[in-house]
Amino acid sequence: MEGLNVLITTSGIGSRLGRLTEFTNKSLVRVGSTAAISKIIQGYPKNSNFIITLGYYGEHVRQYLEISHPENNFIFVEVEKYTGSGSSLVHSISCAKKYLQKPFIFHACDTIAEGVPLHVEHNWVSAYNVENADQYRTLSLDSNFKFTGFNEKGQMGFDHAYPGISGIKDYTEYWRAVDKLLDVSESNNLSDCDVINEMIQENTAKFEIILLKKWNDVGNAYELEKTRRFFKERYDVLDKPQENIYFINNSVVKFFHNPELVEKRVRRSKYLKGLVPEIKTSYENFFKYEFEEGVVFSKSVNPRKMKSFLQWANKKMWKENKGHDISNLCEKFYIQKTLSRVKMFLEEKDDCEIIINGERIPTIKSMLDLIDLTWLCNGVSSLIHGDFILDNVIETKNSFKLIDWRQDFANCIEVGDVYYDLAKMNHNLVFNHEIVNAGNFNISESKVGIQCDILCSKNLLDCKQVLHEFIVENNFDLEKVEILTSIVWINMAPLHEHPLDKFLFNFGKYNLFRLLKKKGQL
């Protein structure tokens, strides 16, 4: 039996999602544990034929689908004109015309629904009853509940919104309407609704109404947040515009906007063999490894387990490589990178003295100048994880497995500084993803300065004490770990969304000041 033909258009730029689509396509925003487009594909039979239009970051969409859904059938259609004059949804649809000379379903890439008919035995349009439909195209119905066409966005008095899914039995008439619209208009606003309206006005087709059981919109930031609450995250993952993680078909798929990061992480996985999952497949912007059975350590950690884990890491990973001088690497990583990240965060503005939590805090550069660089950069060369936090550790049945390792240490993939791993864990026992995702941090500004604080878990603070005892017992320098922890927070700031970015910058700056003041340097 021939499978369904499903057209999914992913060529638009998704501007209503802000920074989430600055570095990738809107169909790849994470919803629950997967990308939005995966939710769509999983709603259709496996033998369906998916025709995917590609435009804005189209190569990301192609790679994601091939690495995440190798069992599905895809035809990829390049859309060159996806922005500017004439770059309408109808234009993108028209690019798939030669592949759809047969009945098909149109499914917008920003709509996730339940109750979609898995047939095109007749023409149909989907509908969903919403309380406030003025931001959507709505269905115009006659007194017999018959569909007579679509209304423009903003028209009042209609409660059945169009989610962007339709079944096209009369495909010849559909393509005739597409061609006619494109012949008479280069408007960027032409949509599939206009095509169906044209068919109805020309009296060439009739459409039945299909009421969906559930509709989740991911087309704008507000609706995306609602949809994410509905599906819920499998793990506590912080949004980063230039990277993402997906859990699908018992595999983990990682995305990076920068292909160099993928290449380096794949190479580093070989140095960390046995400590991290084996990478099965990699593309330019993605790689995939098998899901590791166990519990994310952030969910199960306690002081006793923390002690055991640190002993495991010390034995398996932190074996000093005395033949490798990393002082230059440390200087680049701790000082040069920090100054670069400060500049990135401030966006051409100057760092300046500021009142934080009632203290007058100097500039970051002036505080870094007070630190003895020979002392700070006298690192311990070893194999390291590089993003050594609880959420990147899986507690397995008998041991531990590390995930989401860093790609390099100042461009070196073989070794790094053990102190960086220790500082990252120290940071995470204060700045915990679950606490942050719950909004349990504060950053506020008034005439008297900035206030910033974060809720801390008693369990994690006890684990932090275990970490500090481990540091001292193994002859590491706790003061250096604390200084590097503040530097970690400053470095993280430009990588996160507002207001978390502002919190990290000021929290790191404040804690660096407190440590230097404690040493008598301020």
Side-chain angles (χ1 to χ4, degrees):
M1 180 178 174
E2 185 179 350
L4 285 170
N5 299 292
V6 183
L7 171 62
I8 305 175
T9 51
T10 73
S11 28
I13 62 175
S15 58
R16 292 182 298 159
L17 287 168
R19 289 196 71 198
L20 289 178
T21 52
E22 185 177 349
F23 298 98
T24 195
N25 188 273
K26 70 176 179 178
S27 68
L28 302 184
V29 296
R30 194 179 62 257
V31 176
S33 298
T34 66
I37 196 170
S38 286
K39 298 289 187 195
I40 296 171
I41 289 167
Q42 290 168 336
Y44 288 98
K46 284 190 176 180
N47 68 336
S48 299
N49 303 301
F50 295 97
I51 294 82
I52 313 292
T53 68
L54 306 177
Y56 182 74
Y57 285 119
E59 190 55 32
H60 290 180
V61 178
R62 183 199 301 270
Q63 292 176 44
Y64 174 81
L65 292 176
E66 289 183 348
I67 201 170
S68 300
H69 298 277
E71 73 284 359
N72 289 107
N73 304 313
F74 296 108
I75 295 174
F76 296 106
V77 180
E78 299 286 346
V79 178
E80 294 184 4
K81 191 191 297 184
Y82 57 83
T83 185
S85 177
S87 60
S88 64
L89 175 57
V90 173
H91 171 71
S92 291
I93 290 172
S94 73
C95 294
K97 178 179 178 179
K98 73 175 183 178
Y99 301 104
L100 290 170
Q101 295 302 312
K102 50 191 141 182
F104 66 94
I105 293 174
F106 169 81
H107 198 132
C109 75
D110 56 8
T111 191
I112 302 170
E114 296 176 17
V116 177
L118 300 180
H119 68 80
V120 278
E121 296 168 357
H122 50 73
N123 300 316
W124 53 264
V125 294
S126 61
Y128 194 74
N129 193 287
V130 294
E131 291 182 6
N132 183 11
D134 60 346
Q135 63 177 314
Y136 301 109
R137 290 282 193 118
T138 54
L139 281 70
S140 182
L141 311 175
D142 65 17
S143 58
N144 296 315
F145 201 69
K146 297 295 184 182
F147 174 64
T148 58
F150 291 109
N151 303 303
E152 293 295 329
K153 292 181 182 180
Q155 286 190 234
M156 305 301 290
F158 301 94
D159 53 10
H160 285 87
Y162 172 59
I165 311 172
S166 55
I168 308 302
K169 172 70 172 177
D170 296 326
Y171 60 90
T172 301
E173 299 304 325
Y174 186 90
W175 294 119
R176 183 178 291 118
V178 166
D179 292 340
K180 181 177 179 180
L181 287 171
L182 293 178
D183 282 343
V184 299
S185 175
E186 288 194 353
S187 169
N188 294 353
N189 297 319
L190 290 176
S191 75
D192 61 310
C193 296
D194 296 301
V195 178
I196 292 173
N197 277 348
E198 179 68 25
M199 294 171 71
I200 292 172
Q201 289 168 12
E202 292 294 320
N203 201 29
T204 58
K206 293 182 179 180
F207 287 78
E208 293 187 12
I209 299 171
I210 301 295
L211 290 175
L212 298 177
K213 295 178 181 178
K214 181 65 179 175
W215 172 35
N216 290 285
D217 182 14
V218 297
N220 62 69
Y222 174 75
E223 293 298 333
L224 173 61
E225 185 58 34
K226 284 174 56 180
T227 298
R228 283 178 164 178
R229 289 198 299 271
F230 175 79
F231 283 101
K232 298 180 182 178
E233 298 285 356
R234 185 172 185 177
Y235 301 110
D236 295 304
V237 179
L238 299 181
D239 271 327
K240 295 181 180 179
Q242 298 195 49
E243 63 182 81
N244 220 327
I245 184 169
Y246 311 96
F247 303 90
I248 186 166
N249 298 331
N250 206 37
S251 294
V252 178
V253 175
K254 284 286 295 182
F255 161 75
F256 294 91
H257 173 77
N258 183 349
E260 183 183 355
L261 302 187
V262 172
E263 187 266 338
K264 285 185 174 180
R265 290 208 181 196
V266 172
R267 287 169 59 198
R268 275 210 78 216
S269 70
K270 295 176 172 60
Y271 288 96
L272 296 168
K273 186 176 181 179
L275 301 176
V276 303
E278 181 183 356
I279 291 178
K280 299 297 184 182
T281 313
S282 64
Y283 284 67
E284 187 176 8
N285 296 95
F286 294 84
F287 63 79
K288 179 171 75 171
Y289 56 83
E290 287 186 6
F291 179 81
E292 191 69 38
E293 292 296 336
V295 180
V296 178
F297 202 34
S298 60
K299 303 293 185 183
S300 64
V301 69
N302 58 40
R304 178 184 57 81
K305 290 183 177 181
M306 173 59 75
K307 184 175 182 178
S308 175
F309 171 61
L310 291 172
Q311 291 170 345
W312 175 87
N314 200 33
K315 179 181 178 181
K316 297 286 186 178
M317 189 166 55
W318 297 330
K319 297 175 182 177
E320 185 174 3
N321 183 344
K322 294 184 178 180
H324 204 131
D325 181 5
I326 60 170
S327 57
N328 288 336
L329 297 179
C330 290
E331 197 275 332
K332 291 178 183 177
F333 198 73
Y334 298 144
I335 305 302
Q336 294 182 24
K337 187 182 80 167
T338 299
L339 293 174
S340 174
R341 289 281 178 85
V342 169
K343 184 176 181 180
M344 185 190 308
F345 173 79
L346 293 172
E347 297 180 336
E348 306 305 322
K349 292 178 289 196
D350 292 329
D351 189 20
C352 58
E353 288 190 1
I354 191 168
I355 304 295
I356 305 177
N357 294 344
E359 298 270 16
R360 179 169 292 280
I361 313 297
T363 67
I364 289 173
K365 185 176 186 311
S366 67
M367 289 192 286
L368 292 177
D369 287 342
L370 295 174
I371 300 173
D372 181 348
L373 294 188
T374 302
W375 166 74
L376 186 71
C377 298
N378 183 25
V380 177
S381 174
S382 171
L383 198 63
I384 67 167
H385 177 277
D387 195 9
F388 195 65
I389 62 174
L390 298 174
D391 299 273
N392 290 339
V393 180
I394 303 297
E395 183 184 8
T396 63
K397 187 175 181 180
N398 300 311
S399 186
F400 300 94
K401 189 72 81 171
L402 305 176
I403 59 174
D404 208 15
W405 53 99
R406 185 180 169 80
Q407 67 278 355
D408 60 35
F409 184 82
N411 291 322
C412 177
I413 66 170
E414 295 92 347
V415 295
D417 183 12
V418 174
Y419 276 99
Y420 187 64
D421 270 0
L422 295 172
K424 286 290 290 188
M425 182 57 71
N426 193 52
H427 124 78
N428 186 231
L429 295 172
V430 174
F431 185 87
N432 178 263
H433 287 186
E434 184 175 0
I435 290 171
V436 172
N437 281 340
N440 292 321
F441 66 94
N442 171 62
I443 178 73
S444 57
E445 191 168 4
S446 66
K447 293 180 180 179
V448 297
I450 289 175
Q451 292 288 323
C452 62
D453 201 2
I454 187 168
L455 179 69
C456 291
S457 156
K458 174 64 166 58
N459 178 50
L460 295 184
L461 289 178
D462 289 343
C463 291
K464 184 181 177 184
Q465 182 60 37
V466 171
L467 172 64
H468 288 193
E469 290 170 359
F470 170 87
I471 290 168
V472 174
E473 289 169 3
N474 287 273
N475 299 315
F476 293 112
D477 188 332
L478 180 57
E479 185 179 286
K480 185 189 293 189
V481 172
E482 295 278 39
I483 290 283
L484 289 175
T485 301
S486 297
I487 289 175
V488 164
W489 286 323
I490 294 167
N491 270 269
M492 290 172 62
L495 306 182
H496 291 278
E497 295 290 300
H498 188 77
L500 189 54
D501 59 345
K502 187 175 181 180
F503 169 81
L504 283 163
F505 184 81
N506 289 283
F507 192 65
K509 190 172 179 178
Y510 173 69
N511 279 277
L512 182 58
F513 167 81
R514 289 181 63 202
L515 290 165
L516 293 175
K517 185 178 180 181
K518 183 179 178 181
K519 289 182 66 176
Q521 293 182 267
L522 283 171

